[in-house]
């Protein structure tokens, strides 16, 4: 495949995207990483063997391997059920990290809407500038990338679309949440999605600017720090009540 230079960028990228031979191993490492599809057991040595043998050409091929070929089958099976933000991050779209993946997921709500978005529509997303908007648009126009995404969905990867808030419904705008401990009624990803859908932000660390600490079971040291800083602490029941008041 050709190597092309994106307009306004110095970095040279292979035009074949997700199936570029030169980038295949790196793309698979990224796809399997913890913040992406979280496929434990798919280490560098196994990726080398799978790619060099020709058994895996794109991330979708992983889901057609049998237990004799891949030791991390349980983690691979779990990864079929994911979130839109994780899936976007796993695709390795140029310049799109996990924070931007979350922004895109909650702004567009579905992969279909994002893939069809114009550059102007992408520019309406906070923190996305012209170069990034052009790169995202180009990624989804690339025929090879479209095929890999279709193959991944055919292999059973799924997620829930997110509700897109109506204009003016960002009632948690300006409020920052930190999550700690285990929530009984929802995953961390689901809690984060609910907060971000209402315009709030989720941080990994407590500071004086934190609005709420959402505290599940076995909270650890963040609870003590929140108390010391005077940050309001919500248990899971209080967190759900707060969300319900915003509906």
């Amino acid at each position: 495949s050709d190597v092309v230079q994106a307009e306004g960028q110095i970095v040279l990228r292979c035009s074949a995207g997700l199936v570029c031979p030169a980038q295949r191993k790196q793309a698979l490492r990224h796809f399997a990483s913890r913040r992406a599809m979280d496929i434990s057991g798919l280490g560098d040595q196994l990726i080398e063997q799978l790619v060099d043998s020709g058994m895996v050409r794109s991330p979708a091929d992983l889901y057609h391997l049998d237990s004799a070929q891949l030791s991390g089958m349980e983690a691979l099976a779990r990864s079929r059920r994911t979130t839109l933000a994780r899936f976007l991050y796993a695709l390795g779209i140029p310049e799109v990290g996990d924070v931007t993946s979350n922004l895109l997921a909650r702004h567009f709500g579905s992969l279909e809407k994002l893939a069809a978005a114009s550059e102007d529509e992408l520019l309406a997303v906070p923190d996305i500038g012209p170069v990034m908007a052009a790169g995202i648009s180009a990624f989804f126009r690339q025929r090879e990338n479209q095929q890999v995404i279709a193959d991944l969905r055919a292999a059973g990867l799924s997620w829930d679309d997110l509700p897109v808030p109506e204009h003016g419904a960002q009632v948690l705008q300006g409020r920052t949440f930190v999550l700690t401990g285990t929530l009984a009624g929802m995953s961390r990803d689901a809690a984060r999605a609910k907060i971000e859908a209402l315009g709030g932000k989720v941080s990994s660390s407590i500071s004086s600017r934190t609005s709420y600490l959402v505290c599940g079971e076995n909270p650890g040291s963040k609870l003590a720090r929140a108390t010391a800083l005077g940050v309001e602490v919500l248990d899971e029941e209080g967190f759900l009540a707060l969300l319900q008041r915003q509906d």
Side-chain angles (χ1 to χ4, degrees):
S1 59
D2 296 333
V3 174
V4 296
Q5 184 173 4
E7 183 178 353
Q9 290 182 301
I10 298 173
V11 178
L12 295 178
R13 293 195 177 277
C14 175
S15 63
L18 289 169
V19 293
C20 170
Q23 297 176 358
R24 190 171 299 147
K25 293 174 184 177
Q26 182 180 348
L28 287 168
R29 291 187 191 100
H30 179 82
F31 185 85
S33 64
R34 184 177 60 84
R35 289 185 174 275
M37 305 310 294
D38 195 19
I39 308 173
S40 57
L42 190 62
D44 287 353
Q45 185 175 359
L46 184 53
I47 287 173
E48 294 276 344
Q49 294 170 353
L50 292 171
V51 173
D52 291 344
S53 67
M55 294 171 63
V56 172
R57 294 180 56 81
S58 88
D61 294 334
L62 292 170
Y63 294 90
H64 300 290
L65 298 172
D66 59 36
S67 56
Q69 297 163 331
L70 183 61
S71 59
M73 293 301 290
E74 184 179 342
L76 188 67
R78 281 200 308 271
S79 73
R80 280 191 168 94
R81 183 62 179 167
T82 186
T83 66
L84 176 57
R86 277 183 175 271
F87 184 77
L88 293 176
Y89 178 65
L91 292 177
I93 304 168
E95 313 304 330
V96 175
D98 62 324
V99 172
T100 305
S101 296
N102 273 284
L103 284 171
L104 291 169
R106 74 172 188 262
H107 184 91
F108 290 100
S110 72
L111 182 65
E112 290 74 18
K113 288 180 180 177
L114 171 59
S118 67
E119 289 186 31
D120 283 344
E121 289 171 323
L122 288 162
L123 286 170
V125 182
D127 300 326
I128 290 186
V131 172
M132 188 181 292
I136 294 168
S137 179
F139 181 91
F140 285 108
R141 289 198 311 270
Q142 187 71 34
R143 187 169 58 252
E144 290 88 351
N145 295 340
Q146 293 170 359
Q147 186 60 57
V148 172
I149 290 169
D151 290 344
L152 285 166
R153 301 199 81 163
L157 270 73
S158 66
W159 53 85
D160 292 330
D161 288 343
L162 298 175
V164 179
E166 296 294 331
H167 181 70
Q170 303 265 302
V171 290
L172 294 181
Q173 188 80 38
R175 291 194 245 179
T176 301
F177 292 72
V178 173
L179 306 174
T180 187
T182 302
L183 299 175
M186 67 182 75
S187 67
R188 289 277 193 94
D189 283 338
R192 179 174 183 164
K194 288 178 181 294
I195 292 166
E196 291 177 341
L198 293 169
K201 290 186 177 182
V202 178
S203 175
S204 60
S205 59
I206 296 276
S207 76
S208 59
R209 294 185 297 275
T210 303
S211 307
Y212 301 101
L213 174 70
V214 179
C215 194
E217 294 182 12
N218 304 315
S221 61
K222 289 180 180 177
L223 177 57
R225 178 155 175 76
T227 302
L229 290 173
V231 172
E232 184 172 351
V233 177
L234 298 173
D235 60 13
E236 186 166 358
E237 184 179 355
F239 173 57
L240 293 175
L242 174 67
L243 294 178
Q244 288 169 0
R245 289 201 300 271
Q246 314 304 327
D247 291 341

